[in-house]
Amino acid sequence: MANIKSAKKRILVTAKRQARNRHIKSSTKTAIKKLTAAVGTGSNDEVQTLLSQAVSAIDTACSKGVYHKNTAARKKSKLTRLVNKAV
């Protein structure tokens, strides 16, 4: 355990950021999984809606600093190609 006051604060701040990042990353992964599951079985309108939700979640994660901008671009591109191939 840390003895210095600033180190104790860093532990608290890190824990708070880690919890926020975990929540954002988890919800992003859920949106992506819903989209990939719906590509094979869902209707075209449903897939387009899920694609926009997944892209929005990825953009949010990127703006919060959870994903690097190139990682976000790669994920969005991969999902868009998946949807375009299925349609």
Side-chain angles (χ1 to χ4, degrees):
M1 185 65 193
N3 292 326
I4 300 170
K5 185 177 179 181
S6 62
K8 290 178 183 178
K9 181 179 178 182
R10 293 273 35 118
I11 291 170
L12 295 175
V13 170
T14 302
K16 186 185 288 188
R17 287 183 179 182
Q18 185 179 24
R20 187 197 75 181
N21 290 346
R22 188 182 305 126
H23 172 70
I24 292 171
K25 193 175 278 193
S26 175
S27 61
T28 303
K29 286 181 182 180
T30 302
I32 291 171
K33 286 179 186 177
K34 282 182 183 179
L35 174 63
T36 54
V39 164
T41 59
S43 66
N44 191 14
D45 293 336
E46 179 185 4
V47 170
Q48 292 296 332
T49 303
L50 290 173
L51 176 64
S52 67
Q53 290 174 355
V55 167
S56 176
I58 292 170
D59 284 336
T60 301
C62 181
S63 69
K64 299 290 184 185
V66 178
Y67 287 139
H68 187 270
K69 65 177 186 172
N70 291 347
T71 303
R74 185 178 66 243
K75 287 180 180 292
K76 290 189 291 187
S77 175
K78 184 177 178 182
L79 292 175
T80 305
R81 280 185 285 141
L82 177 72
V83 169
N84 288 341
K85 188 188 291 187
V87 175

